[in-house]
Amino acid sequence: DQQVKQNSPSLSVQEGRISILNCDYTNSMFDYFLWYKKYPAEGPTFLISISSIKDKNEDGRFTVFLNKSAKHLSLHIVPSQPGDSAVYFCAASAIGATNKLIFGTGTLLAVQP
Amino acid sequence: KAGVTQTPRYLIKTRGQQVTLSCSPISGHRSVSWYQQTPGQGLQFLFEYFSETQRNKGNFPGRFSGRQFSNSRSEMNVSTLELGDSALYLCASREGQGATFSGANVLTFGAGSRLTVL
């Protein structure tokens, strides 16, 4: 039962263009969402997060959008750079329920120079 | 500040053997979590320890176990290894516990231990 889904295993974009990574969730108790980035041979690193009381959070080139009614969030990277090429994981947690993160299966982003 | 350190980084075992993986959290972090990463499955939560006590456990068989020491270092053990246990095992630490993962409670991951079972 995959509660957090990343339906696109991979995405390829040109340098300078926008990258949009999508994530869907099924558990309506989730109220905090995070994105992690992972390079080969390294552990995932925290990128950006959003609380369910917001619908947008920005940090430099990275913006996360949350649509609670659709149970959907997305990560926008503008402009995309070759160094952004990595696997991106979406994760969620539910306050009051458990103290663990539920991760999606990841999307491999390739930014072409 | 040193990051999360996991040892060994790579290991090969055969079916039926057991394995112990080690994790040293960031100094001052009292919570350690373990995740299993396999292709197509993403990161699956194994367990979390805080102050030497297991606070939560994922949906894994009893062959998977762990512990935390008084210095917050943690080990996980997998007994009677199966081919399907081949995976990247990731350890993560954070300052506190509970269901908030922001600020000081952001999970910081180690580079992982790559286990291959033959």
Side-chain angles (χ1 to χ4, degrees):
Chain A
D1 177 26
Q2 196 73 29
Q3 298 184 64
V4 178
K5 301 176 185 178
Q6 294 178 257
N7 293 317
S8 297
S10 63
L11 174 69
S12 181
V13 299
Q14 288 295 121
E15 181 178 3
R17 307 293 290 269
I18 183 172
S19 295
I20 300 177
L21 297 101
N22 294 304
C23 179
D24 297 295
Y25 62 96
T26 58
N27 190 340
S28 58
M29 297 299 293
F30 287 151
D31 58 0
Y32 197 77
F33 304 89
L34 307 91
W35 285 93
Y36 275 80
K37 177 171 72 173
K38 185 180 185 302
Y39 293 117
E42 295 183 15
T45 56
F46 170 73
L47 192 56
I48 191 170
S49 62
I50 187 167
S51 164
S52 61
I53 62 173
K54 295 184 175 181
D55 55 17
K56 178 182 174 181
N57 188 28
E58 285 183 80
D59 185 1
R61 297 186 296 113
F62 303 91
T63 303
V64 56
F65 296 91
L66 175 62
N67 183 332
K68 284 187 67 178
S69 60
K71 293 190 176 67
H72 176 84
L73 67 156
S74 61
L75 174 68
H76 292 210
I77 306 173
V78 183
S80 301
Q81 299 173 354
D84 296 328
S85 298
V87 177
Y88 289 78
F89 290 98
C90 169
S93 70
I95 287 182
T98 63
N99 55 347
K100 65 183 181 184
L101 284 179
I102 307 296
F103 282 84
T105 53
T107 296
L108 174 61
L109 172 66
V111 180
Q112 310 295 334
Chain B
K1 226 181 205 183
V4 178
T5 304
Q6 292 188 245
T7 56
R9 289 293 310 277
Y10 303 92
L11 66 167
I12 300 173
K13 295 284 187 178
T14 56
R15 279 181 298 174
Q17 287 187 310
Q18 73 165 18
V19 65
T20 299
L21 309 177
S22 180
C23 173
S24 293
I26 289 174
S27 178
H29 284 193
R30 298 166 62 191
S31 169
V32 173
S33 299
W34 289 89
Y35 286 80
Q36 180 196 63
Q37 184 189 359
T38 54
Q41 291 294 315
L43 278 72
Q44 304 280 315
F45 174 77
L46 281 156
F47 23 66
E48 180 180 41
Y49 287 87
F50 182 83
S51 293
E52 302 178 65
T53 302
Q54 187 180 91
R55 300 294 178 169
N56 200 358
K57 190 176 192 303
N59 188 25
F60 279 83
R63 300 185 296 107
F64 291 80
S65 63
R67 59 178 175 168
Q68 187 181 34
F69 302 95
S70 58
N71 61 358
S72 294
R73 192 177 68 85
S74 177
E75 289 180 348
M76 67 163 283
N77 184 276
V78 188
S79 62
T80 319
L81 284 166
E82 301 176 358
L83 295 178
D85 297 332
S86 294
L88 180 66
Y89 290 88
L90 291 160
C91 170
S93 72
R94 54 179 176 150
E95 284 194 15
Q97 58 167 340
T100 55
F101 289 88
S102 59
N105 259 358
V106 166
L107 274 181
T108 301
F109 284 87
S113 293
R114 170 76 63 184
L115 170 65
T116 301
V117 182
L118 302 176

